[in-house]
Structure formats: structure tokens, C-alpha cells
Amino acid sequence: MHGRGYRDLEVWQKAMDLAVDCYRLSEGFPKHELYGLTSQLRRAAMSIPANIAEGEGRQHTGEFIQFLSIAYGSLSELQTHIEIAQRLEFFQEPVASKLLTRTDQIGRMLNGLIKSQRDKQKH
């Protein structure tokens, strides 16, 4: 275990809120996108907190870092899906902008957590 449980990690809590919001917002996407952008956006959004949780549950710091890196990759994928949805006018620009601001914050938090885990690994 890496200290606190994953539910106590602020980055996990924010990622969960973002995933729920993305899921709800994508309900308004065209039905023909259900197996396309809707599915991809939801999968990427849910992958972020899931990988944080899985990594925190691992026995070794190196594994935790690996899963945090995967979560960061999913975050980048989600940002791309949000921008595509906005360009296709599935999201209005203010909604997309607000979501991207939140993804940027989560990205900074993930980077900070990765750095702190790497520092911990060195000692």
C-alpha cells in the first residue's frame, strides 16, 4: 500500500467527477456515435480513475508510477476526444473549454503524484 487509499487521493476524486460528467454530457451525442466517439470518450474518461486506483493497490511504487503514467495517457486521449467532439459541435465551446481546464488540472496533479512517487522510490 502507498499510504492513503486511492479514494482519499484528490486526483482520483477529481478524475471520478470528470468521468461522470463526461459520461452524462456524452448522452447528448448523436445515436450513430454510440460505438464511435461516445464509447471512446467514455472509455478514456473512466480509464483515468480506474488506473489511479489499480496502481495505488499495487505492492510496489514502480507499479504505481506505471499505472499513473497509463492514467496520464488516457487523460491525453480524453482531451483529444473532447476537442473532436467540440469540433463536431457535440459540445458547445464553453463546455469543452471547462472540461479541458479540468483535464489540465488533473494532468498537473498526476505529474505531481508521479514526481513524488519517483522521489520516494529514490530513498
Side-chain angles (χ1 to χ4, degrees), residues 11 68-69 72 75 104-118:
V11 68
L68 292 173
S69 296
Y72 194 89
L75 181 70
D104 288 343
Q105 179 188 32
I106 291 168
R108 287 189 300 275
M109 294 173 82
L110 280 171
N111 278 332
L113 187 53
I114 289 167
K115 183 183 181 320
S116 74
Q117 292 300 309
R118 284 188 177 138

Side-chain angles (χ1 to χ4, degrees), residues 1-13 49 52-58 64 68 113 117 120:
M1 197 62 136
H2 301 278
R4 307 176 308 163
Y6 67 87
R7 287 183 182 92
D8 293 331
L9 294 171
E10 186 180 0
V11 68
W12 180 82
Q13 294 169 6
I52 294 168
E54 184 172 355
E56 203 284 331
R58 296 293 175 130
F64 189 24
L68 292 173
L113 187 53
Q117 292 300 309
K120 179 179 165 183

Side-chain angles (χ1 to χ4, degrees), residues 57-74:
R58 296 293 175 130
Q59 298 298 314
H60 302 286
T61 302
E63 290 179 292
F64 189 24
I65 293 168
Q66 178 66 26
F67 278 90
L68 292 173
S69 296
I70 294 168
Y72 194 89
S74 294

Side-chain angles (χ1 to χ4, degrees), residues 73-117:
S74 294
L75 181 70
S76 297
E77 183 180 350
L78 177 62
Q79 290 170 325
T80 300
H81 296 322
I82 290 168
E83 290 195 32
I84 291 168
Q86 194 266 316
R87 288 182 185 196
L88 290 170
E89 299 178 351
F90 298 167
F91 285 141
Q92 296 299 315
E93 196 284 327
V95 172
S97 183
K98 191 178 280 190
L99 288 172
L100 290 170
T101 297
R102 290 170 64 194
T103 62
D104 288 343
Q105 179 188 32
I106 291 168
R108 287 189 300 275
M109 294 173 82
L110 280 171
N111 278 332
L113 187 53
I114 289 167
K115 183 183 181 320
S116 74
Q117 292 300 309

